[in-house]
Amino acid sequence: MLGVFLGSLFGSLALGIPIAFGLIISGVALMLMMDIFDSQVVAQNLINGANNFALMAIPFFILAGELMNAGGISQRIVQFAMSLVGHIRGGLGYVSIIASMLFAGLSGSAVADAAALGAILIPMMAARGYNLGRSTGLICAAGVIAPVIPPSIPMIIFGVTGGVSITSLFMGGIVPGILMGIGLIIIWFFLSRNNEQGELPPRKKAREIFAATKQASWALLLPVIIVGGMRGGVFTPTEAAVVAVFYALFVGLLVYRELKISDLYHVLVAAAKTTSVVMFVASAAMVSAWLITVANIPAEMAGALGGLAESPLLLMLLINLLLLFVGLVMDLTPAILIFTPVLLPVVKMAGIDPVYFGIVMIVNLCIGLITPPVGTVLYVGCGVSKINLFTLTRGIWPFLIVHVIVLLLLILFPSIVTVPLEWLT
């Protein structure tokens, strides 16, 4: 049955069929194999796929990200990072990494992060003589930190699909996200020594740093409110998303005053378009998930990998090799929706913490966002910097290796996730 499911799914994708319809087709293929075809089952599961309270957080976080971009929050974050490290050699690269980590706590989307910060920083880096392919690669690699540091849309999807605490996933992503940023800072230190031309800008004075910090304080406060509110039990992840929308609206309209009432229509339309794509894929995945359970595919997978249950490390290495391959040919959201119900029972059987597995799985699939041929963030980088995919791929590979090393560390040393998680939750 697993072969029927994967064969029909990847066959649909090879024909150019959109992923949501491919998921429905693979579900129907399973029904035909089991001789239980019923169109009402397909329709019911499509509706149930979107009819989930926890998934309501997705449109609100997407809307919050759109409001932040339109409201001038991303510019304040860049100016804040510039005041701290903009004067050192390769400073704009460090600004990119720091700003991406801060913006990750606001948007939860790698595409939004790379697009917003790339539009600001790439022209500045080109003007300072930076290698355009390498600079764009850095911004793309820093952008994929966004789905790891909370709030994270992929973590919401994994939590709903696997029945795992979203709050715990949010807390567990903080340290791995910081490690990814530190890794990029280290590799950029060695790559940027001869990367900049002309005189470096002067070091900012204390009053200038204070002014930039004051301007960015409203933006920097939002992640504290979201994480602190969930950590303290003040609100759920869904309620946190609503808080983020109202906070972004308040800051954009009344504090920074860069968001106009006339802009809200375009912001709402952009958020609705993104939400519709994500929710349709989630609904279609519910059809496949239900039929995967009925066809007993998790038990089939558990039987195939059952011999590895006594060696969690070997099992994790094997699963992550599979997911790295999946990331080459499939986007993050559908990969989570498809493989979570298949792999999670096997992981639980081996005694691996589902929250830890979810963090590792998301870090792994985030790497796929910056690997050709399907890497979504790569195409965003090409669009912003006006370079071709080959040039960007050649520039991004050192940062790609850094993320793979971080993934390997998470696999070899689970305490990197589990120990801070115990303290945070």
Side-chain angles (χ1 to χ4, degrees):
M1 286 297 180
L2 180 61
V4 172
F5 170 69
L6 294 178
S8 57
L9 175 61
F10 286 108
S12 300
L13 297 180
L15 292 173
I17 297 173
I19 183 67
F21 293 103
L23 287 166
I24 296 172
I25 290 171
S26 63
V28 171
L30 285 174
M31 295 177 79
L32 293 173
M33 283 295 296
M34 294 184 289
D35 197 24
I36 57 169
F37 179 75
D38 187 344
S39 59
Q40 290 185 349
V41 172
V42 177
Q44 183 178 359
N45 279 283
L46 274 171
I47 295 171
N48 291 339
N51 187 22
N52 189 301
F53 177 76
L55 285 179
M56 287 180 63
I58 293 176
F60 283 113
F61 275 127
I62 290 173
L63 177 56
E66 294 288 345
L67 288 168
M68 290 167 197
N69 284 336
I73 290 179
S74 55
Q75 290 93 330
R76 266 69 177 191
I77 290 176
V78 170
Q79 290 166 6
F80 168 69
M82 282 285 292
S83 71
L84 297 177
V85 296
H87 61 279
I88 62 179
R89 184 159 298 279
L92 288 178
Y94 299 117
V95 168
S96 303
I97 299 166
I98 295 171
S100 291
M101 294 174 69
L102 294 174
F103 199 67
L106 305 175
S107 68
S109 167
V111 171
D113 198 334
L117 297 179
I120 299 170
L121 289 167
I122 288 175
M124 296 171 63
M125 297 171 93
R128 293 262 289 269
Y130 285 65
N131 178 283
L132 196 55
R134 184 61 51 81
S135 303
T136 307
L138 176 65
I139 289 175
C140 291
V144 300
I145 300 175
V148 181
I149 292 179
S152 165
I153 293 172
M155 287 183 186
I156 296 171
I157 294 171
F158 178 87
V160 171
T161 307
V164 180
S165 167
I166 296 172
T167 300
S168 296
L169 288 166
F170 277 11
M171 299 301 107
I174 295 174
V175 173
I178 293 173
L179 279 179
M180 293 169 76
I182 292 173
L184 292 178
I185 289 173
I186 292 172
I187 191 65
W188 183 252
F189 172 78
F190 293 102
L191 293 174
S192 65
R193 286 179 293 183
N194 299 312
N195 195 37
E196 194 168 3
Q197 299 173 1
E199 292 186 8
L200 296 174
R203 180 191 295 268
K204 297 292 184 182
K205 296 179 181 179
R207 66 173 181 272
E208 294 174 308
I209 296 175
F210 176 77
T213 305
K214 184 179 178 181
Q215 279 289 308
S217 59
W218 287 97
L220 299 176
L221 188 59
L222 180 56
V224 177
I225 293 173
I226 293 175
V227 175
M230 290 188 297
R231 172 68 177 81
V234 179
F235 39 67
T236 65
T238 303
E239 293 164 344
V242 179
V243 170
V245 169
F246 278 95
Y247 187 90
L249 195 61
F250 170 77
V251 172
L253 284 174
L254 301 178
V255 180
Y256 295 152
R257 299 184 179 181
E258 292 193 16
L259 181 65
K260 309 299 180 185
I261 297 295
S262 58
D263 297 331
L264 293 181
Y265 172 78
H266 301 287
V267 168
L268 290 169
V269 169
K273 287 180 178 179
T274 305
T275 299
S276 64
V277 172
V278 175
M279 297 302 287
F280 186 32
V281 173
S283 298
M286 183 57 70
V287 177
S288 294
W290 187 82
L291 286 160
I292 283 170
T293 304
V294 171
N296 214 23
I297 289 177
E300 183 181 333
M301 179 70 76
L305 299 175
L308 299 175
E310 297 179 0
S311 177
L313 176 59
L314 187 58
L315 178 63
M316 284 294 291
L317 287 171
L318 185 61
I319 288 176
N320 277 276
L321 283 174
L322 169 65
L323 292 176
L324 283 172
F325 172 76
V326 168
L328 294 174
V329 296
M330 190 176 294
D331 199 21
L332 175 61
T333 298
I336 293 173
L337 290 165
I338 293 166
F339 288 94
T340 297
V342 175
L343 295 174
L344 199 56
V346 181
V347 167
K348 289 180 178 178
M349 183 179 67
I352 298 171
D353 183 358
V355 175
Y356 161 73
F357 173 72
I359 299 298
V360 174
M361 181 178 187
I362 289 167
V363 171
N364 187 313
L365 293 174
C366 280
I367 295 173
L369 294 174
I370 52 173
T371 54
V374 183
T376 313
V377 176
L378 286 182
Y379 294 104
V380 171
C382 289
V384 173
S385 62
K386 304 295 188 295
I387 60 175
N388 59 52
L389 185 61
F390 175 76
T391 302
L392 179 52
T393 303
R394 190 172 56 184
I396 203 172
W397 70 264
F399 313 118
L400 192 61
I401 291 174
V402 167
H403 287 336
V404 172
I405 291 172
V406 171
L407 174 65
L408 187 60
L409 288 174
L410 296 179
I411 297 170
L412 295 176
F413 306 102
S415 57
I416 294 174
V417 175
T418 57
V419 172
L421 182 61
E422 291 174 2
W423 180 77
L424 289 168
T425 56

